[in-house]
Amino acid sequence: MNPVQLSIFANRLAGICDEMGALLRASALSPNIKDRLDLSCALFDAAGQLCAQAAHIPVHLGSMAYAMADLVGQRDWAAGDLLVVNDPYLGGTHLPDVTVVAPVLVAGELIGFAVTRAHHANIGAHSPGSMPVSRTLEEEGLVIAPQWLKRRGEWQVPLCRRLAGLDGPGPLPVDVPRFADFAAQASSCLAGAHRLAELAGERGAEWVAAAMGALNRYGERRMRQRLAALRDGVYRFRDWMDDDGQGHRDIAIAVTLTVDGERAHLDFSDSAGQVDGNINCPLSVAAAAAYYCFRCLLPDDAPSCAGLFRPITLEAPEGSLVNARRPGAVAAGNVETSSRIVDVVLGALAQAEPEAIPAASQGTMNNLAMGEGGERPWDYYETMAGGTGGHALGPGLSAVHSHMTNTLNTPIESLEEHYPLRVWRYRLRRGSGGEGHHRGGDGIERELEFLAPARFTLLTERRHHRPWGLASGGAGAAGENRLNGELLPAKVSAHAKSGDRLLLASPGGGGYGPEKGHQGRR
């Protein structure tokens, strides 16, 4: 393919992914998907190699790119099939992130897959929001091994009822709100499959397969060229998780990055072992975080495909924090440990090309899950913005989601309409960004009042170890969690009474470079 043809093809695939995301957002019911946009959409070739993705959630799509080949291989795919899975040890992230896969067949020939992944606030954990302070995977909710959600166009009703939270036999739960988001994912997948089949109908299945191969080879060439521009060498960086929620503190994540010509190797062997709490993560999540860092080295016009990641290899001992064994708990590994993996990989890359890398961003998603049972049960989950790191060209951004999450905030109007909550404070946390020639961005303060009794869970980080600065820039401020003014741990599950107020203050980003007139100051 010539460059013009390849560019048109890449943008057409990306457009299909964007359309899938728009349809999923429009047809979902939960604020998690329709307001926060905690969703991802992608297209894969017949071998399970990523070919295109929309600019959604990096941790979703990197992990899918790492594990899809094993997930879709050796299955008897038929028209109208939908596969569903959320098992973190089989290519998932954590249990609330559910993946739905639709095959694309043209004249009976498999040419690819359309895939969605979306966050479900209720996946069956005993803790509201399905983000508990857990010790085992089973405590975190329903584990869905790969199985048919639809088979040859027919809904698999017993599974659908389990996903809807219903016991025993009965009809398809079309009127159950909890099932609506699964149906929305199914519609989005089928729409993507239809669009890709249309393209194959125009140009031929063989042409599409050849174009997908050419796209991935081009992506590999782009990444090899970028790696070759880095300074060869061995670079090490270490950072720490605050705690695991089970009494263990200052848990190390360390990487040794080897850049050798057109290849890069990441070795996490010096990281801590698997812990009792839920900050463990499967290797697919660690890979997603690492891939994301290298993707950020490339300009926007580079295709987001599996070829980009072929020159990058990973090594991590099984049973470590970043390559956990079943049944280790992983609810926070996907959201918090992935953020720290980004920090250490970027810290290593900053030694290979200092002016290309920013200081540390907030390094946490500030996870808040809450809800209550009873006659009018409700579940809610959100992540919160913070500051990003300053960099060689300017200051960091304030009040944004960064790195492994790409969600939006939940608008106050939507939050107060759907749940017994009132927002008392929602503002910038002035001065929380690290000092430096280019300051880090500021975090936020968000204070919620409970209008009814509820149980809440916090899974947060950077409450002890602050986001680091670069080139003698200062660290960003650590985050804080408070209930009625009293300081809370970084990871906690507790009950709130009507009238209680919960405040989350998110970290600021690290600063870059020494302040003017303070050249020796760190």
Side-chain angles (χ1 to χ4, degrees):
M1 300 180 74
N2 66 48
V4 173
Q5 290 175 318
L6 194 62
S7 178
I8 291 172
F9 178 72
N11 281 281
R12 187 153 182 187
L13 293 189
I16 293 173
C17 296
D18 287 336
E19 182 179 349
M20 291 170 63
L23 176 59
L24 178 52
R25 181 185 187 185
S27 53
L29 287 186
S30 70
N32 262 313
I33 298 176
K34 68 180 182 181
D35 292 325
R36 289 184 56 247
L37 304 189
D38 201 339
L39 61 96
S40 295
C41 302
L43 295 174
F44 293 77
D45 67 15
Q49 297 292 305
L50 178 68
C51 292
Q53 64 185 55
H56 292 145
I57 311 294
V59 73
H60 286 182
L61 295 168
S63 55
M64 281 199 283
Y66 187 81
M68 266 290 289
D70 292 335
L71 188 64
V72 301
Q74 298 180 343
R75 294 185 186 275
D76 179 24
W77 294 97
D81 285 348
L82 287 173
L83 188 79
V84 63
V85 60
N86 74 344
D87 190 331
Y89 293 99
L90 295 175
T93 50
H94 59 180
L95 297 185
D97 288 340
V98 180
T99 303
V100 177
V101 181
V104 184
L105 295 105
V106 176
E109 179 183 352
L110 181 68
I111 66 166
F113 298 91
V115 181
T116 64
R117 180 171 283 175
H119 187 104
H120 296 251
N122 187 343
I123 201 65
H126 294 301
S127 173
S130 292
M131 290 287 285
V133 183
S134 47
R135 296 175 67 97
T136 66
L137 184 65
E138 285 68 26
E139 293 175 26
E140 297 175 354
L142 176 65
V143 181
I144 309 168
Q147 55 194 290
W148 301 119
L149 181 64
K150 272 188 174 184
R151 183 59 168 158
R152 294 185 169 86
E154 297 294 326
W155 290 103
Q156 303 302 289
V157 176
L159 174 60
C160 293
R161 291 183 61 81
R162 286 179 64 207
L163 297 177
L166 302 175
D167 295 325
L172 186 70
V174 291
D175 57 346
V176 178
R178 186 167 151 185
F179 183 67
D181 290 341
F182 291 100
Q185 282 188 255
S187 297
S188 174
C189 280
L190 294 174
H194 177 69
R195 291 293 190 218
L196 186 57
E198 280 186 335
L199 178 57
E202 294 173 13
R203 305 302 302 268
E206 290 185 2
W207 184 90
V208 169
M212 286 177 166
L215 186 63
N216 272 304
R217 290 191 295 275
Y218 171 68
E220 182 176 356
R221 292 196 300 273
R222 290 291 298 269
M223 181 58 78
R224 288 185 179 278
Q225 290 168 359
R226 186 65 182 88
L227 293 177
L230 297 177
R231 190 171 59 207
D232 281 1
V234 178
Y235 309 101
R236 295 178 175 85
F237 199 89
R238 182 183 299 266
D239 207 337
W240 288 265
M241 303 291 290
D242 289 342
D243 69 282
D244 72 341
Q246 302 294 336
H248 303 94
R249 297 192 54 162
D250 303 331
I251 302 160
I253 298 181
V255 68
T256 299
L257 166 65
T258 302
V259 179
D260 183 9
E262 297 181 347
R263 302 195 65 84
H265 179 70
L266 295 157
D267 184 356
F268 291 93
S269 296
D270 291 333
S271 299
Q274 188 167 332
V275 294
D276 294 332
N278 62 10
I279 63 170
N280 305 295
C281 63
L283 187 58
S284 60
V285 172
Y291 291 162
Y292 161 79
C293 296
F294 285 91
R295 174 64 182 88
C296 289
L297 294 175
L298 294 171
D300 289 345
D301 66 348
S304 295
C305 60
L308 291 183
F309 312 131
R310 289 173 184 165
I312 304 163
T313 54
L314 282 82
E315 179 182 352
E318 187 177 359
S320 66
L321 187 69
V322 298
N323 186 7
R325 291 191 186 99
R326 190 187 299 272
V330 297
N334 173 59
V335 286
E336 297 302 291
T337 310
S338 68
S339 299
R340 193 66 67 258
I341 293 170
V342 168
D343 289 340
V344 300
V345 173
L346 289 180
L349 281 169
Q351 300 167 51
E353 191 170 333
E355 293 193 353
I357 305 298
S361 294
Q362 66 164 334
T364 176
M365 298 189 196
N366 304 294
N367 303 271
L368 170 60
M370 50 191 164
E372 193 53 273
E375 293 183 3
R376 300 183 64 184
W378 61 281
D379 287 85
Y380 177 65
Y381 167 72
E382 70 175 357
T383 57
M384 296 188 190
T388 67
H391 48 91
L393 301 180
L397 300 175
S398 298
V400 293
H401 291 266
S402 55
H403 292 322
M404 296 312 289
T405 180
N406 194 30
T407 55
L408 300 180
N409 68 329
T410 303
I412 293 174
E413 297 83 356
S414 176
L415 188 69
E416 295 185 342
E417 176 185 356
H418 287 93
Y419 307 107
L421 299 167
R422 179 180 291 127
V423 179
W424 275 93
R425 191 187 320 183
Y426 191 29
R427 67 188 185 192
L428 285 176
R429 190 185 178 199
R430 301 284 184 185
S432 56
E435 297 178 349
H437 182 64
H438 295 302
R439 289 189 63 96
D442 287 332
I444 67 167
E445 295 178 350
R446 188 167 169 93
E447 185 176 22
L448 306 174
E449 179 187 359
F450 292 91
L451 303 182
R455 184 179 176 188
F456 68 90
T457 301
L458 294 172
L459 297 174
T460 62
E461 274 286 326
R462 291 295 194 199
R463 269 50 183 173
H464 177 59
H465 294 283
R466 298 161 63 188
W468 40 264
L470 268 183
S472 298
E480 290 185 355
N481 308 325
R482 294 183 180 271
L483 182 65
N484 299 325
E486 296 294 324
L487 197 63
L488 293 173
K491 298 169 185 67
V492 64
S493 183
H495 288 275
K497 305 184 300 295
S498 180
D500 282 351
R501 293 192 188 183
L502 179 66
L503 170 68
L504 270 71
S506 64
Y512 188 96
E515 283 189 282
K516 224 171 186 180
H518 296 79
Q519 297 300 313
R521 181 176 175 181
R522 289 190 66 82

